[in-house]
Amino acid sequence: MHLLANIAAFAPPRYATLPSDSLINLLSLLAAVMRSLPIGALGPNLSTAAGKQVAESESDSDSEELTHISASSVYRLPLPRLDERTSKRLQTLPSPTHISSLIHATQNHTISRIALCDFLFALCSAWPLRSDSVLSTIVVSTGGGFVRELYRGYVRSSPLGKDASLATLLGMSSPFYLISTH
């Protein structure tokens, strides 16, 4: 987490001046470090009571007996307690100004958009309580253009964006597969 905090402190002012390859490598590094953390590691721990309240609010009133499993009831290795300076630096990662600066820096490098998406997915996994804020910032700062760009450039051109059969999506439409299954 200290590596994330140091990058968050020193890299953002330089995003706009980084060449495409460096920006991609930086975003990939940030994403890899965040993916190595347990889910929710950067956010406050949920209490068992909060987990039960969420589970009860989503339950049907018709059911007689429900079993509730809280995310906090899963055994996790204890993470080191962070000092105030490190915690404050980590707050930079999901902030709207940081997300907007990343979007602006990757705007001219279309190849870096995939690395940005990887970073955003990792950030939302490591900090699920801030994911709504992160995703809202993306939509607001780009006027929905980033989402449209991803849809047009990656989803619509893939088998997901076409009328394809399940066999095509799963990669089972090759002649070899068809011959070997009969």
Side-chain angles (χ1 to χ4, degrees), residues 13-83:
R14 294 167 183 80
Y15 288 152
T17 61
L18 289 175
S20 177
D21 291 341
S22 298
L23 187 59
I24 290 169
N25 288 333
L26 180 64
L27 290 171
S28 298
L29 173 66
L30 287 168
V33 171
M34 285 188 283
R35 277 193 310 270
S36 71
L37 298 173
I39 293 175
L42 295 178
N45 292 333
L46 296 174
S47 68
T48 305
K52 286 182 180 179
Q53 288 173 352
V54 169
E56 288 171 2
S57 69
E58 294 176 354
S59 67
D60 293 333
S61 59
D62 298 339
S63 56
E64 294 176 9
E65 187 176 322
L66 296 172
T67 303
H68 300 288
I69 298 174
S70 166
S72 62
S73 66
V74 177
Y75 177 74
R76 289 194 284 180
L77 294 173
L79 295 172
R81 190 153 195 84
L82 299 175
D83 59 296

Side-chain angles (χ1 to χ4, degrees), residues 113-136:
R113 293 294 202 167
I114 296 298
L116 175 61
C117 288
D118 190 28
F119 165 79
L120 294 171
F121 284 132
L123 178 61
C124 289
S125 292
W127 213 321
L129 295 177
R130 298 290 299 267
S131 63
D132 286 343
S133 170
V134 168
L135 298 175
S136 297

